Amino acid sequence: MSDTNKKKEIKTNESRRNFIKSGALAAAGFMIVPRHVLGGVGFVAPSDKLQVAGIGAGGKGESDIHAFFESGKADIAYLCDVDDRRAASSVKRFPKAKYYKDFREMLDKEQKHIDAVSVSTPDHNHAIIALAAMQLGKHVYVQKPLTHDVWEARVLTDAAKKYKVVTQMGNQGASNDGPRQAREWYEAGIIGDVHTVYCWTDRPVWPSGIQWPTQKAEIPKELDWNLWLGTAPQKDYVDKLVPFNWRGWWDYGTGALGDMGCHLLEMPFSVLGLNYVQDVQASVGTVYVDEFKRGYFPESCPPSSHATLTFPKGQRTSGPVTLHWMDGGIQPERPEELEPNEIYGDGGNGILLIGTKGKILADTYGKNARLLPTSKTATVNVPKKYERVPGQEGGHYAQWVEACIAGYGKKPVSSPFEIAGPLTEALLMANLAIRGADLRIDNQYPGRNIKLVWDNNAMKVTNFDAVNQFVKRNYRSGWDINYTI
C-alpha cells in the first residue's frame, strides 16, 4: 500500500471512530412547532420544514432531493457526495446547503440540525449509511434496492422498528394507483386465487458478462475514490465504472434485479401479501469467448437470467406462489387473452399475475394495471378500498416528507422498510441463485440445475453452502456494519 493510501486508510478509521463515538451520545428526535399555531391552515412555517441531508447529490439523488424540496415542506440543508462533478448541479440549486464529501463527518458534525436523510449512492453503501442515520434517530429515504446483501436488508428492516423512524424505499411505483386497483380487483375475487407471477425487464442496459478491466486509470481530482469504495474491497480505479456502470459488477451493484426488481416485484408483493422466499433457482446467459469455450467472469453480472422463486402460502393466497423473474430481454409467453398487436407490458418491462379465474397485466411501476382481456377492464367495477396517494409516483416523496413531520407511526407511507425489506430480500435471494449458477468450483458449475433451499430464520441456504458467502459479505477494513438482529 502506498503512503497516500495508508494516510487515507488512517483518516478513514479515525473518522469512523469519531463518528461512532459521537453517534452513541446523540439524542434521537427533534421538535416541530405545529404550523396551524404559526400561520393558519396550509401555512408552512420555517420550523415546520423537514431539514433534509442528501447523501448522493447527483443522478437519481439529485432528482430525489429536488422532489423533496418541491413538496414545499422540506429544506435541503446539507449535501454530501464523494464526486464534486456529480454534486455540482445540486450545489448550485441549493447554495445554502452545507456540502460534505464524507457522510460520517457530516452526521458527526451536523446531527443536531438534521431531521431526515436521503440515501442515493451505489448499492454497496446503502446499508452502512442508512443504518448510521437511523441510529442517530433520523428518518431515512433509501433508493432501491434497499441494500446490496440479504443480511443487510434484514438489518434495516429490524432497525426501522428498533429506532422508530419513518422509512421509505425509492420504488416510487408503490405510490401509484395501479397496485391499489389490482389489489381491489384481487380481493373482490375477479381473477380468483393467484398462483403464478411473471416479472420481466429489458435490463441490463450497461455492459455485463465481461472481464474486469486490466488497466487502471487516473482518479479524477473531483472524486474521492476511497470514499466511493466504502464497504467494497480495495481496488484500483478503472474507467467507465463511475457514475453508472458499477451496476454490472457484483462488488458494487446488484444487476438487473437491483435496478428494476423493486419496481416490478412491488405490485405482486402488495397485492398478494408476499413475504419471505422458501426456495429459488436460476439459469443464466453464458458468454462464449471462443468455439465451445465458456468465458468466466465472476465479478460481472450475467447478460441475462431467469430466476424462479417460491413463496409459501400467505394470508391472501390459498397455496404457494411461484414468481418468475426474467431479464436481458427475455419475456414469458404472451397470454392468449392478449390481442396480437397489443403491447405486452410496456414493451420492455412488465408484470403478469395469473389467477384461477383471470389475469392482471401491468407496466413498470405497476402503471396501467388492466384485466385480460383488456376490454374487461372498463366493464368491471369494484369498490375503492385503498386510499390513493396524491400525485401517485410523484407524490411518493411528499408522502415521506409529511410522514416525517408528523412523526413515527402517525402517517402511512407506501414503501416502509417493513415492506421494502422483505421485498429487497426476495430479489437478493434471486441474485443468490444467479450467482450460484455462475459459480465455478473445480472447473464445474455445481450451482446450476439445482434449487436452493432457504432457511429463513438461520438466513442460510441449506443445500449449497458456497452461495452463503453472498448472504453477508466481508466488509473492507474500517467500513464494517456492526448490528445484532
Side-chain angles (χ1 to χ4, degrees), residues 16 127-128 131 151-152 155 231 472 475 479-483:
R16 180 163 178 79
I128 192 170
L131 182 61
W151 177 79
E152 292 176 339
V155 164
T231 63
K472 180 185 179 184
Y475 299 103
W479 293 87
D480 302 284
I481 297 176
N482 298 307
Y483 188 90

Side-chain angles (χ1 to χ4, degrees), residues 235-345:
K235 282 187 178 180
D236 290 328
Y237 176 81
V238 295
D239 280 332
K240 298 183 179 179
L241 178 68
V242 178
F244 184 70
N245 287 346
W246 54 265
R247 286 195 175 280
W249 300 102
W250 289 121
D251 278 344
Y252 320 112
T254 46
L257 268 156
D259 186 42
M260 293 300 295
C262 291
H263 291 314
L264 295 167
L265 269 65
E266 191 283 328
M267 194 176 92
F269 260 71
S270 61
V271 171
L272 305 178
L274 302 180
N275 208 303
Y276 293 106
V277 173
Q278 111 185 357
D279 56 61
V280 59
Q281 56 188 300
S283 57
V284 299
T286 300
V287 177
Y288 281 82
V289 295
D290 205 343
E291 295 178 6
F292 295 98
K293 185 178 180 181
R294 186 200 304 269
Y296 184 55
F297 311 117
E299 295 175 303
S300 178
C301 305
S304 61
S305 65
H306 175 192
T308 305
L309 303 92
T310 305
F311 293 87
K313 177 185 179 305
Q315 291 184 345
R316 299 181 210 153
T317 61
S318 62
V321 173
T322 301
L323 189 150
H324 296 269
W325 167 267
M326 300 175 173
D327 60 44
I330 301 171
Q331 295 185 355
E333 181 182 4
R334 288 172 63 89
E336 60 183 14
E337 300 93 338
L338 202 61
E339 295 294 329
N341 290 333
E342 287 187 289
I343 300 297
Y344 194 14

Side-chain angles (χ1 to χ4, degrees), residues 56-65 81 86-87 90 120 243:
K60 188 57 184 170
E62 179 181 352
S63 62
D64 287 344
I65 292 164
D81 204 296
R86 300 287 287 168
S90 292
S120 186

Side-chain angles (χ1 to χ4, degrees), residues 49-247:
K49 287 192 174 182
L50 193 73
Q51 301 302 299
V52 176
I55 301 177
K60 188 57 184 170
E62 179 181 352
S63 62
D64 287 344
I65 292 164
H66 181 68
F68 299 138
F69 179 75
E70 286 296 300
S71 72
K73 299 176 182 179
D75 282 332
I76 308 305
Y78 300 94
L79 294 170
C80 181
D81 204 296
V82 301
D83 191 339
D84 295 343
R85 299 168 302 174
R86 300 287 287 168
S89 180
S90 292
V91 169
K92 183 178 180 180
R93 179 176 288 174
F94 302 106
K96 294 182 180 179
K98 192 170 181 180
Y99 180 67
Y100 287 88
K101 275 201 167 184
D102 190 331
F103 78 91
R104 298 163 303 178
E105 181 185 5
M106 182 190 72
L107 291 179
D108 184 22
K109 292 182 177 179
E110 311 294 351
Q111 56 189 268
K112 293 181 180 179
H113 312 295
I114 295 171
D115 299 333
V117 172
S118 170
V119 181
S120 186
T121 68
D123 303 349
H124 67 291
N125 286 327
H126 281 187
I128 192 170
I129 298 172
L131 182 61
M134 294 164 77
Q135 288 174 329
L136 294 174
K138 311 306 175 187
H139 307 301
V140 289
Y141 183 102
V142 182
Q143 256 310 320
K144 53 79 194 169
L146 187 61
T147 64
H148 183 276
D149 302 333
V150 173
W151 177 79
E152 292 176 339
R154 192 72 63 92
V155 164
L156 292 195
T157 304
D158 187 76
K161 301 174 188 173
K162 180 177 180 179
Y163 299 113
K164 295 184 175 6
V165 293
V166 177
T167 59
Q168 180 97 298
M169 183 167 69
N171 56 333
Q172 60 269 31
S175 289
N176 275 338
D177 290 354
R180 290 160 177 77
Q181 175 71 83
R183 184 174 175 183
E184 288 161 355
W185 283 332
Y186 181 61
E187 293 182 355
I190 303 301
I191 65 168
D193 189 66
V194 169
H195 50 80
T196 305
V197 175
Y198 287 93
C199 297
W200 65 95
T201 182
D202 55 6
R203 268 41 168 206
V205 292
W206 52 83
S208 294
I210 57 175
Q211 175 92 32
W212 178 258
T214 56
Q215 186 173 1
K216 68 178 182 179
E218 184 178 350
I219 302 173
K221 65 180 186 302
E222 300 91 347
L223 172 68
D224 190 314
W225 177 237
N226 179 60
L227 292 178
W228 190 94
L229 282 174
T231 63
Q234 182 66 47
K235 282 187 178 180
D236 290 328
Y237 176 81
V238 295
D239 280 332
K240 298 183 179 179
L241 178 68
V242 178
F244 184 70
N245 287 346
W246 54 265
R247 286 195 175 280

